[in-house]
Amino acid sequence: MRRFRSAVIVALGLGLGCLAGLAASGIARAAELHSGAPGEVVHAPPGHQPERGSPDAAVTIDLYVAFGHPDSARIAELAAQAMGAGVRELVHLTGDGPPGAERVAEAALEAEAEGRFWPFFDRAVKPPFSAELAALDRMGKDAGLDRARLDEALRLGRHREAIAALGRRMRAGGHFPGELRVNGTRVFSPSRAALAAAIVTARARAQLLTSAGVSPSQIYSRLAPDPDSAPEPELSRLPRRRISESAAATAGVNGAPARGAPLSRVTVVIFSNFACAACAELESDLERVRAAHPGALREVWRQWAPPYGPSSLEGRAAEFAVAAARQGRFWELHDRIAATAGGRVTTLGELDALARSAGLDLGRAARERRLGLSAAVVGRDQRDARRLGLGFSPGVVVDGIPLSAPLRPGLLDALIASELELGALPSLGLTASPAGSSAEADDR
């Protein structure tokens, strides 16, 4: 804390030096600002954002957090060090993190429902990360949660749709886990010194606004960007690092379900799961790309599954996908699930029903599961995802370019369109041999 205060003192010159420039840029144009009159509507941050600190704080720190994400842990630590008089903290949660992040985010919403969000958050956001049920139970106990209620919430998926909605909102706004903003301005490469300087500058801007008659409750709404406005996809900033041929062969391993002509102009390898909210969003993006570029796309499906066991919905969904591929019914099951209202399964009963309607032999699938055959394939896919640096769900590899973070809206479309403009590429070994019967070899 002493170091942080020192950084604030050092940064004071930066903030004071900004005042003249800020005023000249028009921030304090009183004619365009409303005063804090009685009855004025107080700004309430949209969505579902736990907060601590005074709502009248001059400085608001926005944290965009996925549990298990190193940059998210770092910005949470920085914000905790900066908390004090005149500073408020808002947390924007998503489940679009590493495997298991969605489950921990659900537990965090249950903690908030019990009035214990911050004790749980401060514990869960710190490394080491674990989504194991035993670890969540320990964190819930430490945070003072009703452990039976927490277990029930996780088992029933009580907060799953809320977490999915928060993830959609974050992506729609063009935000990423690990992002930190101070009064709406992003702090790049966050550090103690950078955050201290940003806070000083934010206080200077807030002072100009209050001097112009804006009430403290309105400062955040004046300075923060519209949460529903998404920037254009920044394709030029995307690293075009193509993986080596050996890694490409790993990505498109023989036996993975695939559709589209083997010599299609673009190959997309997807590490996904039938019960994952962000995976359902990706499927919507792919559907749009298919419609825009008919016949140009080759899709290869690999399994993504969180680490909390095959008995979970996500673990069972991954094993069903493997079983469907062995029986030559993968794409039938895939398309039936994609056509549901949410684009994913939400219960084991729904998964069973859809698998049966897709023509799966459930008895055979159960036998393969008991023998560990399906789990072996899921484990192989998880190891390959880690080798490729795909830490988020879903993971995507486009013509050998790994995308290891949640995708900005329109980024996949833009990248595929860019790849198509490049014309024929050297073979990267990404095409996969179909699994199971000849039905998997059909180009659909």
Side-chain angles (χ1 to χ4, degrees):
M1 181 63 74
R2 183 176 300 170
R3 290 183 180 177
F4 188 84
R5 288 173 179 167
S6 298
V8 171
I9 293 172
V10 171
L12 274 171
L14 293 173
L16 294 174
C18 289
L19 282 171
L22 290 170
S25 67
I27 290 178
R29 288 178 291 185
E32 296 181 17
L33 301 173
H34 300 286
S35 64
E40 182 181 44
V41 177
V42 176
H43 170 70
H48 190 103
Q49 292 136 9
E51 64 177 278
R52 60 180 161 189
S54 170
D56 291 337
V59 176
T60 296
I61 300 176
D62 286 282
L63 305 177
Y64 295 84
V65 172
F67 291 105
H69 181 247
D71 289 343
S72 294
R74 176 62 176 158
I75 63 171
E77 179 186 13
L78 291 173
Q81 294 167 352
M83 287 299 291
V87 176
R88 178 176 62 152
E89 180 180 0
L90 291 180
V91 169
H92 308 256
L93 286 179
T94 179
D96 301 348
E102 186 175 19
R103 179 61 61 92
V104 184
E106 290 179 44
L109 288 196
E110 176 57 31
E112 186 184 33
E114 298 184 29
R116 306 294 298 169
F117 175 82
W118 292 104
F120 181 87
F121 175 82
D122 289 339
R123 171 64 185 86
V125 77
K126 294 178 181 177
F129 169 72
S130 177
E132 299 287 348
L133 293 177
L136 291 177
D137 181 70
R138 285 194 301 272
M139 287 188 284
K141 178 182 178 181
D142 293 344
L145 271 64
D146 181 327
R147 293 158 69 189
R149 179 173 166 180
L150 173 63
D151 177 71
E152 180 184 55
L154 295 177
R155 181 165 42 85
L156 299 178
R158 182 181 296 150
H159 304 289
R160 177 167 293 181
E161 289 306 317
I163 287 297
L166 290 173
R168 288 193 295 271
R169 185 180 186 87
M170 187 182 291
R171 292 190 297 274
H175 301 295
F176 284 86
E179 182 177 327
L180 183 150
R181 291 179 178 266
V182 177
N183 278 5
T185 299
R186 183 173 178 183
V187 179
F188 291 92
S189 302
S191 64
R192 287 185 177 185
L195 179 56
I199 289 175
V200 170
T201 301
R203 288 191 192 280
R205 298 180 73 190
Q207 183 179 347
L208 290 175
L209 289 173
T210 54
S211 297
V214 176
S215 68
S217 63
Q218 291 288 307
I219 290 174
Y220 180 83
S221 62
R222 300 292 181 189
L223 299 179
D226 179 359
D228 293 318
S229 62
E232 291 297 318
E234 301 179 38
L235 191 60
S236 62
R237 297 181 61 183
L238 180 69
R240 293 299 188 93
R241 178 182 63 85
R242 296 186 194 274
I243 57 181
S244 66
E245 289 190 14
S246 61
T250 294
V253 66
N254 289 342
R259 65 177 168 184
L263 297 180
S264 295
R265 295 163 63 193
V266 175
T267 296
V268 181
V269 182
I270 306 145
F271 289 78
S272 194
N273 188 283
F274 288 146
C276 161
C279 302
E281 293 281 326
L282 175 63
E283 177 57 33
S284 298
D285 293 343
L286 288 169
E287 182 62 36
R288 186 172 58 251
V289 171
R290 291 186 205 109
H293 309 286
L297 203 64
R298 172 80 164 170
E299 298 172 56
V300 180
W301 179 284
R302 305 291 303 278
Q303 305 306 324
W304 170 86
Y308 38 86
S311 61
S312 67
L313 176 61
E314 291 84 352
R316 189 72 63 82
E319 293 193 351
F320 259 91
V322 174
R326 288 180 182 276
Q327 297 180 31
R329 310 299 294 174
F330 175 83
W331 293 109
E332 285 80 356
L333 178 59
H334 171 281
D335 292 346
R336 286 176 185 272
I337 292 174
T340 62
R344 60 172 178 152
V345 294
T346 56
T347 67
L348 288 173
E350 182 184 15
L351 178 60
D352 283 347
L354 287 168
R356 189 177 293 108
S357 69
L360 262 71
D361 181 336
L362 299 187
R364 176 182 167 184
R367 288 192 298 274
E368 292 175 348
R369 179 170 178 266
R370 287 194 299 271
L371 293 171
L373 300 179
S374 298
V377 176
V378 175
R380 177 202 65 190
D381 287 358
Q382 297 308 285
R383 291 189 296 273
D384 288 349
R386 288 192 293 270
R387 290 192 194 101
L388 294 166
L390 301 175
F392 283 79
S393 58
V396 184
V397 182
V398 178
D399 272 350
I401 302 173
L403 302 178
S404 59
L407 306 182
R408 290 183 186 273
L411 179 60
L412 184 65
D413 311 56
L415 178 57
I416 289 176
S418 174
E419 289 296 290
L420 289 171
E421 289 177 4
L422 292 177
L425 293 170
S427 172
L428 291 172
L430 280 168
T431 57
S433 298
S437 70
S438 59
E440 288 297 313
D442 294 338
D443 294 328
R444 302 175 185 274

